[in-house]
Amino acid sequence: MQKLIRWQGLIAFFVVTGLIAAIIIVFLDFWIKLAAVKTLESTTGAEVNIAQVNHTFSPFGVTFTGIQLTDPATPTQNQAQADEVTAKIELAPLLLRKVIINDLTISGVQFAQPRESEGAVYRTAKAAIKEELQEAFDPKNLPSVDEILEKSPLKTTRAVEETQAAYQKHSEILKERYAQLPSKDALENYKKRVEAITNTDYKNPLELAKAKEEFDALREEIKEDKAKLTAFKDAASEAKADMAPRLAELKAAPGEDYAQLQAVIAGDQGAIQDVTTMVFGEKAGEFSHYVLSAYDLAAPMLAKSKEEQAEEEAYNGRWIAFDDTAALPDFLVRKADISVTWRSESVLSVWRDITNQHDKIGRPTTFKVDSSVSSLWQSLQLNGDFYLNDTGVKANQDWNLRGLALSDISLLEQEKLSSTLLKGLLSSSGKASINKNVISGTGNAALSQLNLAATGSNNLTQVIAETLAGLSNLTINSDIGGTLGDLDLSVSSDLDKQLTAVMLNNLTGEQSSKLGELKQKLNAKIEGPLGATDSEMDQWLDWEKVADGDLSSIQSMLDSKLNSVVDNKKDELTDKLKDKLKGKLFN
Amino acid sequence: MQLLAKLLKALNSDDSPWQLAFGVMLGMIMGLTPFWGLHSLLILFIVLFLRVNLSTFLLAYALFSGLTLLLNPFMSGMGESLLVSTDLNAMWTGLYNSTFGQLTQFYHTLTLGSLLFSLMLAPFILVISKILVVQYRVRFMQWVNKLKLVQFLKGSRIYQIYQTLGE
């Protein structure tokens, strides 16, 4: 036995295992920090800093202090940062590789704050909207009227094409059917034959029966021609009904195109149309980011592609879960209080059941912000939920913000146009939903008591600046679209129309002459088709009148004359029969 | 050089061929399976508490750890097929819901697959190692000891230290 056992080995065993345990415990904070930084960096694609990590064993918990997540689009600032994150973690589920956090507190969350030093970016950010806006302000040569007409999707062109196509269709049908109509001679012939039948004095019923037979055959012939006349008349009516609105549309189209295209001559149409986006888009984007930031939390949960995961699993193996009594997801935060600091005001959001395996818990993650009167706003309410499973994300959210006081907000700082919101009140409400990762929603932002300062450096931007400076109220409508993690926001307001009107009042001589040319060319586009169609339609009307006359003549031939002949003969024969009977009875 | 010296020391020592062979076998199991696990603790206990040759254990551990680069996908697949087998589902579920089962981490495909694979390989490795050690000592030891490289190694400080420790 002694030959088999090594007693010193037992001591060595305890020393080795003790050493391993000691190393784990001593460096636990370091390893937690390392793991957290690596995980967050792979999710955000940019440098993550954590100042300090502390852990406690009873209850088991971790506290992260000074967390900064670099914004990959703007590495000089943090996408988000937090003063402290404290998590109380259930120890037993960790053996099953499940992270169950009973209580999570995140305090001092701030967005878009400057960093002390520029953070490293590991994934390229998308081109910033600013670059696109800068392009819109570049002065361009006025396009020629022909270029405008060629590039623009004109209503006139469409109306001409549609009218011509419709006219062609009806014209062919009408010509074909008109050719099938009975000639004047044929109608005259019918008239003569009818008169011959009706004017003959029939001596006996046999003659009358024969005439009736002849008349019936004639009647069938007339009926066939009548059907042709009716078909022609129906086609003519249909053509008239179809062509009338088309012609009206064709006549109105140049006017409508002119109204639309005059903005192109008056200035940069793109710039005018996008002025709401240019001036308010960036801030609206920021605001939407705050409002929809909950989805930023959901997006990384789906970020890792299944393909990547499969490759990793093939090499490192995977953890297979079997039914357990608790039916826990791999990651769950039962309750979280997240406190976001904005302009020295703290907004508390309360979260329940944060996970990426909602099928396991059978309910969605919910979040709620209910902030009463503060120094910044009158009220802020935000409610939402999201549910993640294999098919994607399903989420709903609505918000209602009343009376947010705005002051000294730089809206746009560019060489050719700069604008600052000196003072104003913002109220906003809206809702958004996600279905299978596709976001849709609408929102509106009503700005009141506005005081805007703006300066422009060229004709176009000066007009924009003057219009902005004159604004006291503005309602901006936004459409939220895109996919999870790639939000697409479009904003619009009546500011664009206001600007076009102002610009049209400030036209140069060249612009005025181009407008005249535009009007003339648009009208010329419809002159040909409209003239040809009008004359052809006159011919259709003539044909229709003729057909109407022929139809009534045939109808009268068929109805009145034949009936009277039959009736007269019937009466005559009845009288004769009566006379004969009287003679026989009374003589 | 260090590993070679270790091996030479072990082969030339008075340890029985079985001690050396067990070292190879346990080193193989430890090398093929993931380090963090209850099984590793058990192997470490056996290696240290019983008179298993530590040099061959460490050598085999290093050698078979390298082989995992090639073998991991196969071993993981093996574990996966066992864990997803409907016939065994009741057993795995029972194990999964027990503290012991959770500590074994047998619900991890690679842990289960590699441990089973290495256990299946173990008897063969043990017997083959024993035969090789015996054959080496009988046929090659004297010839190898005459090699200049070996003489150089034996004269090295590292070998001297091992020699001292072994006495």
Side-chain angles (χ1 to χ4, degrees):
Chain A
M1 192 70 177
Q2 281 298 320
K3 278 183 81 179
L4 203 67
I5 294 168
R6 182 160 47 196
W7 289 105
Q8 307 97 307
L10 193 65
I11 299 164
F13 172 75
F14 286 115
V15 169
V16 169
T17 47
L19 262 175
I20 293 172
I23 289 169
I24 291 171
I25 292 166
V26 169
F27 292 102
L28 186 60
D29 290 343
F30 172 74
W31 282 329
I32 292 173
K33 182 177 166 179
L34 211 66
V37 167
K38 197 183 162 206
T39 310
L40 287 168
E41 282 184 346
S42 73
T43 306
T44 59
E47 187 179 330
V48 171
N49 308 92
I50 298 173
Q52 204 182 341
V53 177
N54 292 306
H55 72 273
T56 55
F57 278 116
S58 184
F60 186 68
V62 187
T63 303
F64 299 88
T65 315
I67 305 121
Q68 295 183 62
L69 278 66
T70 306
D71 187 346
T74 321
T76 50
Q77 66 179 32
N78 288 323
Q79 185 177 0
Q81 64 184 53
D83 292 342
E84 194 174 89
V85 176
T86 306
K88 300 276 175 245
I89 305 164
E90 278 186 36
L91 208 51
L94 280 178
L95 280 174
L96 297 172
R97 322 286 292 185
K98 293 178 176 186
V99 180
I100 309 298
I101 300 171
N102 284 325
D103 204 346
L104 176 75
T105 310
I106 307 178
S107 63
V109 178
Q110 283 179 283
F111 299 101
Q113 294 299 304
R115 286 177 61 84
E116 280 179 16
S117 62
E118 190 172 316
V121 177
Y122 311 119
R123 279 201 300 266
T124 324
K126 288 189 172 181
I129 191 172
K130 280 179 187 172
E131 288 169 24
E132 292 166 28
L133 298 178
Q134 185 66 46
E135 265 181 34
F137 283 129
D138 280 344
K140 294 172 186 165
N141 291 330
L142 279 182
S144 74
V145 171
D146 289 333
E147 278 173 352
I148 294 168
L149 291 176
E150 198 183 323
K151 284 179 188 170
S152 308
L154 291 175
K155 283 186 182 174
T156 310
T157 315
R158 201 187 67 227
V160 166
E161 283 169 4
E162 285 178 0
T163 308
Q164 281 179 332
Y167 161 74
Q168 194 68 28
K169 186 184 86 179
H170 291 301
S171 182
E172 277 170 20
I173 294 169
L174 286 173
K175 276 179 184 166
E176 188 193 324
R177 292 196 180 167
Y178 185 74
Q180 290 170 356
L181 294 183
S183 63
K184 288 280 170 202
D185 292 343
L187 289 173
E188 196 59 38
N189 184 31
Y190 287 146
K191 202 175 173 184
K192 281 179 185 166
R193 285 164 69 188
V194 169
E195 277 173 3
I197 292 169
T198 52
N199 292 338
T200 306
D201 184 17
Y202 299 100
K203 302 291 181 197
N204 55 52
L206 280 175
E207 281 179 6
L208 182 62
K210 198 183 169 192
K212 175 79 170 61
E213 204 176 307
E214 198 182 330
F215 188 81
D216 284 345
L218 180 62
R219 186 188 160 95
E220 283 308 310
E221 278 181 56
I222 295 171
K223 264 188 181 173
E224 277 177 26
D225 281 341
K226 186 194 167 191
K228 287 173 187 172
L229 278 162
T230 310
F232 174 80
K233 200 172 174 311
D234 289 347
S237 301
E238 196 188 322
K240 272 198 304 183
D242 186 31
M243 291 303 291
R246 288 184 192 280
L247 286 170
E249 202 179 304
L250 181 64
K251 282 173 189 166
E256 287 171 18
D257 280 337
Y258 177 74
Q260 191 200 341
L261 292 177
Q262 59 187 358
V264 182
I265 305 259
D268 186 331
Q269 189 193 25
I272 294 170
Q273 282 188 344
D274 289 342
V275 80
T276 310
T277 309
M278 281 188 281
V279 179
F280 296 99
E282 201 176 338
K283 288 293 160 192
E286 271 178 35
F287 177 70
S288 302
H289 189 76
Y290 288 135
V291 169
L292 301 170
S293 56
Y295 297 148
D296 287 344
L297 184 78
M301 293 187 183
L302 291 176
K304 203 172 205 181
S305 74
K306 285 184 178 170
E307 207 173 306
E308 274 177 69
Q309 217 174 333
E311 274 175 27
E312 270 182 32
E313 282 170 357
Y315 185 76
N316 293 324
R318 72 182 180 104
W319 300 90
I320 295 181
F322 295 88
D323 287 340
D324 57 286
T325 43
L328 294 168
D330 295 342
F331 175 80
L332 173 68
V333 179
R334 294 191 202 276
K335 179 179 175 284
D337 292 333
I338 302 175
S339 170
V340 179
T341 308
W342 191 65
R343 290 193 187 184
S344 71
E345 195 70 36
S346 186
V347 186
L348 180 70
S349 60
V350 180
W351 297 67
R352 291 272 187 278
D353 303 318
I354 303 173
T355 182
N356 59 346
Q357 293 171 309
H358 290 95
D359 282 343
K360 280 244 168 117
I361 59 168
R363 55 185 183 273
T365 298
T366 59
F367 52 93
K368 186 177 182 180
V369 174
D370 192 355
S371 174
S372 53
V373 180
S374 79
S375 59
L376 292 172
W377 55 70
Q378 288 159 12
S379 73
L380 170 64
Q381 286 174 325
L382 193 147
N383 293 292
D385 60 69
F386 62 84
Y387 195 106
L388 283 75
N389 60 16
D390 289 343
T391 58
V393 183
K394 198 175 177 190
N396 295 294
Q397 183 177 319
D398 60 77
W399 70 91
N400 195 342
L401 168 70
R402 289 281 155 258
L404 173 69
L406 305 171
S407 64
D408 293 322
I409 296 175
S410 173
L411 298 171
L412 195 67
E413 275 299 332
Q414 296 205 0
E415 196 188 330
K416 296 179 181 67
L417 180 68
S418 63
S419 171
T420 307
L421 193 150
L422 300 173
K423 212 178 155 193
L425 273 181
L426 170 71
S427 291
S428 173
S429 62
K431 57 183 174 183
S433 63
I434 302 177
N435 201 357
K436 289 178 182 167
N437 300 351
V438 177
I439 303 176
S440 64
T442 54
N444 70 70
L447 289 158
S448 59
Q449 299 174 28
L450 268 180
N451 188 355
L452 286 163
T455 50
S457 63
N458 61 22
N459 285 346
L460 172 65
T461 52
Q462 271 170 13
V463 172
I464 294 174
E466 278 169 26
T467 311
L468 286 174
L471 284 176
S472 60
N473 291 294
L474 183 69
T475 300
I476 299 170
N477 297 308
S478 60
D479 281 319
I480 304 157
T483 52
L484 202 59
D486 187 15
L487 198 69
D488 182 16
L489 183 80
S490 63
V491 292
S492 62
S493 73
D494 64 349
L495 187 60
D496 307 343
K497 280 182 186 169
Q498 286 182 39
L499 271 169
T500 307
V502 173
M503 305 225 33
L504 285 172
N505 289 330
N506 294 289
L507 292 179
T508 62
E510 190 196 354
Q511 286 170 324
S512 297
S513 71
K514 280 200 172 182
L515 273 179
E517 188 188 343
L518 177 68
K519 200 173 210 173
Q520 193 186 354
K521 287 199 169 173
L522 282 170
N523 284 328
K525 269 186 176 287
I526 67 159
E527 267 172 17
L530 198 61
T533 313
D534 274 349
S535 66
E536 285 289 339
M537 279 193 72
D538 287 344
Q539 193 182 21
W540 294 354
L541 290 174
D542 288 343
W543 287 352
E544 201 185 7
K545 274 181 198 164
V546 172
D548 269 345
D550 293 346
L551 203 58
S552 67
S553 136
I554 279 180
Q555 196 59 43
S556 64
M557 278 192 276
L558 284 172
D559 294 341
S560 60
K561 295 206 173 176
L562 181 68
N563 288 343
S564 63
V565 169
V566 175
D567 290 344
N568 288 342
K569 284 296 163 195
K570 220 189 272 174
D571 292 345
E572 206 176 296
L573 287 170
T574 312
D575 290 343
K576 276 183 181 175
L577 195 62
K578 278 180 185 168
D579 290 344
K580 278 186 180 176
L581 282 171
K582 274 180 193 170
K584 283 193 177 177
L585 284 171
F586 299 109
N587 293 331
Chain B
M1 290 288 271
Q2 199 174 341
L3 285 172
L4 202 60
K6 270 186 185 180
L7 182 66
L8 284 171
K9 160 84 177 60
L11 288 169
N12 294 339
S13 70
D14 295 332
D15 284 355
S16 75
W18 282 115
Q19 279 175 288
L20 269 74
F22 266 101
V24 174
M25 184 194 76
L26 291 167
M28 180 268 297
I29 299 172
M30 187 91 166
L32 288 182
T33 55
F35 180 78
W36 298 105
L38 199 62
H39 62 277
S40 294
L41 205 65
L42 186 68
I43 292 169
L44 200 64
F45 178 77
I46 293 168
V47 168
L48 292 171
F49 189 53
L50 302 179
R51 288 192 181 275
V52 174
N53 188 282
L54 288 171
S55 299
T56 52
F57 170 77
L58 290 171
L59 270 168
Y61 174 66
L63 180 75
F64 284 97
S65 291
L67 280 179
T68 55
L69 290 168
L70 294 170
L71 291 172
N72 266 6
F74 163 73
M75 294 188 296
S76 178
M78 190 175 157
E80 172 113 20
S81 62
L82 286 168
L83 285 169
V84 299
S85 161
T86 45
D87 296 336
L88 300 171
N89 190 269
M91 185 183 84
W92 299 130
T93 308
L95 201 66
Y96 185 80
N97 284 300
S98 68
T99 312
F100 174 72
Q102 288 167 11
L103 287 170
T104 61
Q105 300 189 347
F106 285 164
Y107 52 96
H108 182 237
T109 55
L110 186 61
T111 306
L112 180 70
S114 60
L115 192 62
L116 280 179
F117 178 72
S118 54
L119 284 175
M120 284 193 296
L121 220 61
F124 301 103
I125 294 287
L126 182 69
V127 172
I128 291 166
S129 304
K130 194 250 173 187
I131 292 169
L132 285 175
V133 170
V134 170
Q135 290 302 313
Y136 170 81
R137 283 180 174 173
V138 173
R139 296 181 183 204
F140 302 104
M141 196 163 76
Q142 283 188 341
W143 178 75
V144 171
N145 282 341
K146 283 177 190 166
L147 288 175
K148 285 195 174 177
L149 174 72
V150 175
Q151 283 176 349
F152 165 73
L153 277 172
K154 280 189 169 183
S156 70
R157 193 172 160 73
I158 296 168
Y159 188 84
Q160 297 299 327
I161 292 167
Y162 282 127
Q163 198 72 27
T164 318
L165 284 171
E167 283 164 0

